[in-house]
Amino acid sequence: MLKHYKLAVCVLTLLTWQTQVQAQKIPLKPKLVEKVVRKGNELVIPYEKYLLPNGLTVVVHEDHSDPIVQVDVTYHVGSAREEVGKSGFAHFFEHMMFQGSDNVADEEHFKIVSEAGGTLNGSTNRDRTNYFETLPSNQLETALWLEADRMGFLMDAVTQKKFEIQRATVKNERGQNYDNRPYGLVFEKNTAALYPYGHPYSWTTIGYLRDLNRGNVQDLKNFFLRWYGPNNATLTVGGDVTPAQVVKLAEKYFGPIKRGVEVKNMKLPAPVLTQDKYISYEDNVRFPLLQMTFPTVPNFHPDEVPLDLLAEILGQGKNSILYKNLVKSQKAVQAGSQHPCTELAGEFSISVLPFPGQTLAEMEKTIRESLVEFEKTGVSEDALTRFKVSYEANEIDQLSSVDGKTSILANYQVFTGNPNFLPNDLKRYKAVTREDVMRVYAKYIKGKHAVILSVVPKGKSADVAHADNFTVDSSGYVPPKDQYAGLKYIKATDTFDRKKRPGSGANPVIKVPPFWNDKAGNGIKVIGTKNDEVPTVSMLFSIKGGHKLEAKNPGKAGIASLTAAMLNESSKKYTSEQLSSELDKLGSSINFSAGPDQMTVSMQSLTKNLDATLVLLEERMLYPRFDSTDFDRLKKQTLESIANQSTQASVVAANVYNKMLYGNDNILSIPVIGTTSSVSAITLDDVKNFYRSNFSPSVTNLVIVGDIEQNTIMPKLGFLSKWEAKPVEMPATPKVATIEKTKIFLVNKDKAAQSEIRIGYIALPFDATGEFYRVNIMNYILGGAFNSRINLNLREDKGYTYGAGSYFSGSESAGPYTAYAGVRSDVTDSSVVEFMKEIKRFEETGITDQELAFVKSAMGQSDARKYETAFQKAAFLNNIIRYNLDLSFVSQQSAILQGITKDQVNALSSKYLTVDKMSIVVVGDKATIKPGLEKLGYEIVELDPDGNPVKM
């Protein structure tokens, strides 16, 4: 696969437009810098760019296709601006930016945006930090008021208490995403060896715990004063707005904020390796990992694109050399290569997860042999075509949402000074040649040194590819000059009352996408809608049954999943590699998958290539080859994946939780992928029989969304008449397990830094306008929003977790109510207490008037965001056809939401939050957490990772 647009990109080596403009006289009023319009069908995002007197760049994209607006503020600061001993500050500060400012109270930012029907977040990487909201377009002024307030009025609101809570939250995030995740430290170990000590890429964005522990409030304030000035920021607004409207509001809210300290672009020399650096560490993993990383070039360097193509030829997709030599030959579970580039440097990485019985030393040898093979085979015409067409298709796909377009404009502006750099990028990728690829291979890879990292299972240190020969050396490091000395906070002065929250105006009119119904061959129900914002067509086949059909023979559970995997392989006419190549050359994709109650076939194509893609879809759906070699490889991979689940606490928690909810006699208590014993029992004939018996148009619905009319697409589906229809009998839904009294089910995961918690019971089936819809209204304030009671308690008030919540899920049969979190190991028992306290309190006292008003506003206005993208439209239509919904169900839901009373909500909480009959699953370090859990008064049942009782 090609790289998607990267959120951290490299500046040009020459002075950028931004630095040039800083040397000029800044206007007293916003200045229109440029206006870009689309001509014909060219791939361009229209916009206007302005410069405010304080240095803030404003980019506006006008798009009235949906009544929503995306507001993005990107600061040109990431972890690369940090110093040794103060890692993680850029990311830490991202958290602090949500903790209130002078005119916005603590926890109010999330509440205000959610109440307005919007969604929001922030992210930090090596080179930039951004904050973004997507809201109904009548909330534009509110979003700008919020962003401006924390840009200009944050300092006095930063307190020691907030600092400590967010420090705990960041530690939880590190525990969840790094320390407690298999292979979670690969990036940290690799960068420390690849870059010289003190290089800002030699640590990760999350930072080191020791640095987080030693930081203080003043350090954080200094970081804000140094990097968060308007002259180091870009405000990008896209959607149902006008440039004049945005600029006027930007001038009002951002204009008074004083210019910050000058920020210069960074440029550092590429790291030079004088030898292969072998490093290793032990981890709680099943498969060892070998990763080989070569230093390359920053983004936008002339050699970036040919290195991207080299990465694809070597290790991306079924036509790559590494796939052939390692995956296809059943030596490795996974093998691939990638070439991520950021502002200061690039990294060409090759990674392999070998099957048991293969050594890391053998993997290194095969990688080196594969590089020699590439030298001989070079770059084919097909490889060039696949690369270029796939890149264009990926770029087009990103333009399907205002979020995607706004993000592209923001990042091009921040790192190149030119929001309209997309055409330049397209030219770069279209112009790459075979000679370019061979040249960069010789320059950066052939005979060059690399960092070679081995990750081995605990206690298997002898299994590394080569003995370690490198340790970090700080002896030559010279600290930089203090860049935080003498910083002063100068608060803006206003001519208006900034404490007054802006009004929102009338809610935008929400239009449910118009759709059509039809029938294809053999009675397949079809529902579709035209979406001409981007020239693509998406199709989704839903074939009832899936995992649930395995109830007829649970001894072979996993057969639906394995059948879907086989359908992604060869057809009678084409090998899997040939199909993959043809799809890539069209910029198309076809994928089969299996879920709890259905199999799905998804297809996406550029409109111009639809006919050719449908030919390949027919091949895959109707004429699978079911090759024995493919089956043996996929079965082996599946069995290894099942065995690997025991290393992933979140997966263990989900599997054990389902087993406790549904009971041993229900197929849903078994993972969709199956178990070791059930998958071992599956034969190729079983897969063929499952396909023949259950893959049928008689139980199939089809959703079509794209740039095509009904009368154009339907004749193209004639091939579906060849699909043999057969009766598919759905097994009866068995009764689910019942629990008479709440219990804790404890699964041990030795020395886990965090515990995974799941709490719940089987509640009720999906119903668009019945009690299922109403309980989701009820749950929104308990666990469904960021500022829900559960998340505010466990994350924001206690600092126990990176995130916690609860939800009701349902299908045709009953689904569970689930409360969930990953928490610090040392507060596992306290977290269970807080969960149960919040659920019980809501059961007993219910919702407040203020909370109910918030829920009605938040859920009601969120409709503006429901139908924007092709994916959202497809999900909406899929529910209509799957559940045979009345066409008026959307208006019925709106009436239910606005009419529901406090008493009705409280009656639902009393009925469905039965805290005395819930299963509590905890996966964590037994030695640490069991003593505390024993004090809670619940019966504790110890289970193994498969959910079976542990013999005491």
Side-chain angles (χ1 to χ4, degrees):
M1 295 293 292
L2 281 166
K3 295 186 298 182
H4 285 261
Y5 182 81
K6 293 173 278 303
L7 293 178
V9 292
C10 176
V11 295
L12 298 171
T13 57
L14 299 175
L15 287 173
T16 65
W17 177 89
Q18 281 183 308
T19 55
Q20 291 169 2
V21 90
Q22 288 170 4
Q24 301 168 3
K25 185 177 180 181
I26 302 297
L28 297 177
K29 287 288 184 180
K31 174 186 175 183
L32 175 62
V33 177
E34 64 179 343
K35 180 176 180 178
V36 171
V37 297
R38 179 184 292 113
K39 299 174 183 177
N41 295 322
E42 64 180 347
L43 205 59
V44 165
I45 307 171
Y47 67 88
E48 292 183 15
K49 182 170 82 171
Y50 295 82
L51 183 69
L52 266 58
N54 60 7
L56 178 69
T57 299
V58 181
V59 180
V60 187
H61 165 62
E62 187 173 355
D63 176 3
H64 301 291
S65 58
D66 294 282
I68 59 175
V69 62
Q70 173 88 5
V71 174
D72 178 291
V73 179
T74 299
Y75 296 86
H76 193 174
V77 55
S79 58
R81 300 287 187 179
E82 298 165 352
E83 300 173 351
V84 170
K86 294 183 179 180
S87 66
F89 266 57
H91 173 253
F92 193 170
F93 198 82
E94 177 210 320
H95 280 250
M96 291 302 296
M97 284 281 275
F98 290 96
Q99 300 311 303
S101 47
D102 278 4
N103 307 300
V104 182
D106 185 18
E107 299 169 356
E108 281 290 303
H109 198 116
F110 272 98
K111 182 179 180 182
I112 289 170
V113 173
S114 298
E115 190 173 20
T119 183
L120 72 160
N121 213 327
S123 68
T124 308
N125 61 30
R126 287 170 162 178
D127 306 309
R128 66 98 186 101
T129 305
N130 73 334
Y131 305 88
F132 48 92
E133 296 90 4
T134 309
L135 307 99
S137 53
N138 66 321
Q139 302 292 340
L140 168 65
E141 187 171 1
T142 296
L144 295 178
W145 169 69
L146 287 167
E147 287 296 347
D149 208 63
R150 58 183 177 185
M151 177 189 282
F153 302 87
L154 183 87
M155 286 288 285
D156 293 338
V158 176
T159 66
Q160 187 68 36
K161 181 180 179 181
K162 293 178 183 178
F163 177 87
E164 294 299 343
I165 289 173
Q166 291 310 309
R167 172 153 54 188
T169 300
V170 172
K171 288 181 180 180
N172 285 319
E173 182 177 358
R174 181 184 166 95
Q176 180 173 314
N177 294 336
Y178 293 79
D179 301 324
N180 205 43
R181 175 174 291 179
Y183 314 105
L185 298 179
V186 164
F187 190 63
E188 182 173 279
K189 301 289 186 181
N190 189 68
T191 54
L194 184 63
Y195 297 98
Y197 182 84
H199 190 292
Y201 282 2
S202 65
W203 55 81
T204 59
T205 303
I206 196 73
Y208 296 111
L209 282 177
R210 61 179 180 270
D211 292 347
L212 292 171
N213 286 332
R214 72 162 64 99
N216 58 50
V217 172
Q218 190 56 50
D219 290 330
L220 209 66
K221 289 184 176 182
N222 285 341
F223 195 87
F224 171 74
L225 291 173
R226 181 66 185 88
W227 306 111
Y228 272 74
N231 50 301
N232 194 37
T234 296
L235 167 65
T236 310
V237 179
D240 187 23
V241 298
T242 65
Q245 174 191 18
V246 173
V247 172
K248 181 180 179 181
L249 292 172
E251 185 180 15
K252 175 181 179 179
Y253 289 109
F254 290 90
I257 301 171
K258 303 301 181 185
R259 188 181 188 88
V261 182
E262 182 184 5
V263 177
K264 295 182 179 180
N265 291 322
M266 299 176 68
K267 184 181 178 183
L268 293 173
V272 177
L273 303 180
T274 57
Q275 62 175 4
D276 285 332
K277 293 182 179 179
Y278 286 91
I279 58 174
S280 66
Y281 75 96
E282 296 181 20
D283 198 359
N284 183 25
V285 295
R286 173 175 174 80
F287 306 112
L289 175 143
L290 183 77
Q291 180 169 292
M292 183 181 294
T293 305
F294 301 85
T296 61
V297 297
N299 213 333
F300 296 129
H301 187 284
D303 292 343
E304 179 198 11
V305 175
L307 283 164
D308 287 352
L309 176 48
L310 174 62
E312 181 170 292
I313 293 169
L314 280 175
Q316 295 176 19
K318 293 182 177 179
N319 287 284
S320 69
I321 295 172
L322 292 174
Y323 180 86
K324 173 179 68 71
N325 292 346
L326 288 166
V327 178
K328 188 83 170 179
S329 63
Q330 300 189 38
K331 293 179 180 178
V333 181
Q334 295 177 19
S337 58
Q338 58 179 339
H339 181 235
C341 293
T342 44
E343 185 174 10
L344 305 178
E347 301 163 11
F348 193 101
S349 292
I350 300 171
S351 301
V352 181
L353 293 176
F355 275 120
Q358 303 288 326
T359 69
L360 293 185
E362 290 169 339
M363 295 300 99
E364 181 183 354
K365 181 174 180 290
T366 303
I367 289 172
R368 295 189 185 279
E369 290 171 347
S370 298
L371 293 175
V372 173
E373 179 181 339
F374 166 75
E375 286 186 57
K376 296 176 181 178
T377 58
V379 183
S380 69
E381 189 65 35
D382 270 7
L384 271 174
T385 303
R386 289 196 302 265
F387 180 77
K388 295 177 181 182
V389 175
S390 294
Y391 178 81
E392 182 180 9
N394 287 336
E395 291 298 295
I396 289 173
D397 187 54
Q398 290 182 81
L399 303 181
S400 63
S401 70
V402 67
D403 174 13
K405 289 181 285 188
T406 303
S407 297
I408 289 173
L409 290 171
N411 283 279
Y412 277 137
Q413 167 58 35
V414 169
F415 295 107
T416 74
N418 177 14
N420 191 35
F421 202 80
L422 178 59
N424 299 26
D425 252 353
L426 286 169
K427 289 177 184 176
R428 292 198 305 149
Y429 280 84
K430 288 182 177 180
V432 67
T433 66
R434 296 185 185 90
E435 292 74 22
D436 290 331
V437 179
M438 301 310 295
R439 175 180 55 79
V440 297
Y441 169 76
K443 185 174 181 179
Y444 301 101
I445 309 299
K446 181 179 179 180
K448 300 300 185 291
H449 299 300
V451 172
I452 302 168
L453 168 67
S454 298
V455 183
V456 294
K458 293 283 181 70
K460 297 288 186 71
S461 59
D463 291 352
V464 299
H466 187 283
D468 289 11
N469 66 354
F470 170 80
T471 56
V472 175
D473 180 10
S474 62
S475 59
Y477 174 68
V478 179
K481 294 179 180 179
D482 183 6
Q483 54 187 341
Y484 297 101
L487 297 176
K488 294 182 179 180
Y489 179 39
I490 303 174
K491 190 177 294 189
T493 54
D494 292 314
T495 58
F496 65 98
D497 183 4
R498 198 177 283 266
K499 289 188 178 297
K500 184 179 179 182
R501 178 177 168 182
S504 60
N507 287 343
V509 176
I510 311 302
K511 296 181 180 178
V512 175
F515 56 88
W516 48 265
N517 289 280
D518 212 324
K519 282 193 175 183
N522 289 312
I524 297 172
K525 293 181 181 178
V526 184
I527 189 169
T529 187
K530 181 177 173 64
N531 180 42
D532 58 6
E533 291 183 37
V534 290
T536 62
V537 176
S538 299
M539 296 172 56
L540 177 68
F541 294 85
S542 299
I543 303 153
K544 295 178 183 177
H547 181 50
K548 280 189 176 180
L549 289 170
E550 297 165 3
K552 302 172 184 178
N553 187 2
K556 294 191 176 182
I559 192 170
S561 179
L562 196 51
T563 301
M566 287 294 291
L567 290 169
N568 283 315
E569 296 293 332
S570 307
S571 72
K572 289 184 178 178
K573 188 180 293 186
Y574 300 104
T575 66
S576 179
E577 291 80 3
Q578 289 170 335
L579 281 167
S580 179
S581 179
E582 293 303 310
L583 287 167
D584 285 345
K585 286 190 287 186
L586 295 169
S588 303
S589 64
I590 298 171
N591 184 62
F592 295 76
S593 61
D597 45 29
Q598 62 183 11
M599 290 181 68
T600 59
V601 186
S602 59
M603 184 218 77
Q604 181 158 330
S605 170
L606 296 172
T607 307
K608 64 183 180 181
N609 294 333
L610 178 61
D611 289 348
T613 305
L614 289 174
V615 170
L616 300 178
L617 178 66
E618 177 182 353
E619 269 294 309
R620 278 210 150 141
M621 287 183 66
L622 305 187
Y623 309 108
R625 185 180 300 186
F626 290 130
D627 184 86
S628 60
T629 303
D630 289 338
F631 175 77
D632 292 342
R633 171 173 46 83
L634 291 171
K635 180 175 176 178
K636 184 178 179 181
Q637 289 176 339
T638 302
L639 288 169
E640 292 298 333
S641 296
I642 292 169
N644 188 48
Q645 289 180 346
S646 64
T647 67
Q648 302 170 352
S650 60
V651 177
V652 172
N655 289 345
V656 173
Y657 180 63
N658 282 339
K659 192 165 187 177
M660 297 307 100
L661 290 180
Y662 291 102
N664 292 328
D665 296 330
N666 193 313
I667 192 63
L668 296 182
S669 70
I670 301 174
V672 173
I673 195 174
T675 65
T676 299
S677 61
S678 67
V679 173
S680 296
I682 297 172
T683 66
L684 181 56
D685 284 339
D686 292 328
V687 168
K688 292 177 180 178
N689 290 332
F690 187 88
Y691 170 80
R692 281 194 294 265
S693 301
N694 302 303
F695 196 79
S696 171
S698 61
V699 287
T700 297
N701 298 326
L702 171 59
V703 176
I704 302 173
V705 177
D707 185 21
I708 197 164
E709 300 286 354
Q710 176 185 1
N711 58 7
T712 303
I713 183 64
M714 289 306 298
K716 297 179 184 295
L717 303 179
F719 72 91
L720 293 174
S721 298
K722 305 175 188 176
W723 189 4
E724 182 187 356
K726 47 262 187 185
V728 180
E729 181 182 351
M730 297 296 164
T733 302
K735 291 183 178 180
V736 299
T738 57
I739 184 168
E740 297 302 319
K741 189 176 181 180
T742 297
K743 298 177 183 178
I744 293 177
F745 298 94
L746 176 60
V747 182
N748 181 44
K749 188 174 188 294
D750 283 334
K751 298 181 181 179
Q754 286 199 317
S755 299
E756 289 289 336
I757 298 174
R758 304 290 184 271
I759 302 171
Y761 73 104
I762 296 296
L764 68 175
F766 175 87
D767 186 336
T769 56
E771 285 206 335
F772 180 81
Y773 177 69
R774 289 173 170 82
V775 295
N776 279 282
I777 297 173
M778 178 268 291
N779 179 68
Y780 192 82
I781 200 66
L782 172 61
F786 179 89
N787 56 316
S788 67
R789 292 185 182 184
I790 288 174
N791 194 54
L792 289 184
N793 182 342
L794 273 77
R795 172 179 161 139
E796 298 299 298
D797 296 341
K798 301 292 192 310
Y800 289 169
T801 179
Y802 180 48
S806 62
Y807 60 91
F808 286 86
S809 64
S811 59
E812 289 86 350
S813 57
Y817 165 76
T818 304
Y820 64 90
V823 303
R824 290 199 330 260
S825 183
D826 64 317
V827 295
T828 302
D829 54 336
S830 300
S831 298
V832 172
V833 169
E834 295 304 321
F835 263 119
M836 301 306 282
K837 182 180 77 175
E838 290 295 350
I839 297 170
K840 186 171 181 60
R841 181 162 70 95
F842 205 81
E843 175 198 13
E844 294 177 345
T845 63
I847 199 169
T848 67
D849 292 326
Q850 185 180 13
E851 287 173 333
L852 182 57
F854 167 80
V855 173
K856 289 185 177 184
S857 177
M859 294 184 67
Q861 294 189 85
S862 67
D863 282 352
R865 297 184 290 107
K866 285 185 177 178
Y867 316 115
E868 182 194 10
T869 67
F871 176 81
Q872 289 172 311
K873 289 180 172 71
F876 170 73
L877 297 180
N878 191 53
N879 273 345
I880 289 177
I881 197 167
R882 176 177 180 179
Y883 295 109
N884 194 29
L885 299 180
D886 186 277
L887 303 187
S888 65
F889 87 94
V890 174
S891 58
Q892 290 181 50
Q893 285 184 339
S894 179
I896 292 168
L897 175 64
Q898 298 308 321
I900 199 167
T901 67
K902 179 179 174 182
D903 288 342
Q904 289 172 332
V905 171
N906 292 344
L908 290 167
S909 66
S910 296
K911 181 177 180 181
Y912 288 104
L913 297 178
T914 51
V915 293
D916 57 336
K917 293 185 178 181
M918 291 189 179
S919 295
I920 303 173
V921 172
V922 181
V923 180
D925 181 38
K926 172 184 167 182
T928 302
I929 66 178
K930 186 177 180 182
L933 293 174
E934 288 175 328
K935 297 176 182 177
L936 303 186
Y938 299 107
E939 178 186 350
I940 296 179
V941 180
E942 292 189 39
L943 304 173
D944 65 20
D946 294 322
N948 300 313
V950 174
K951 295 180 180 179
M952 306 301 292

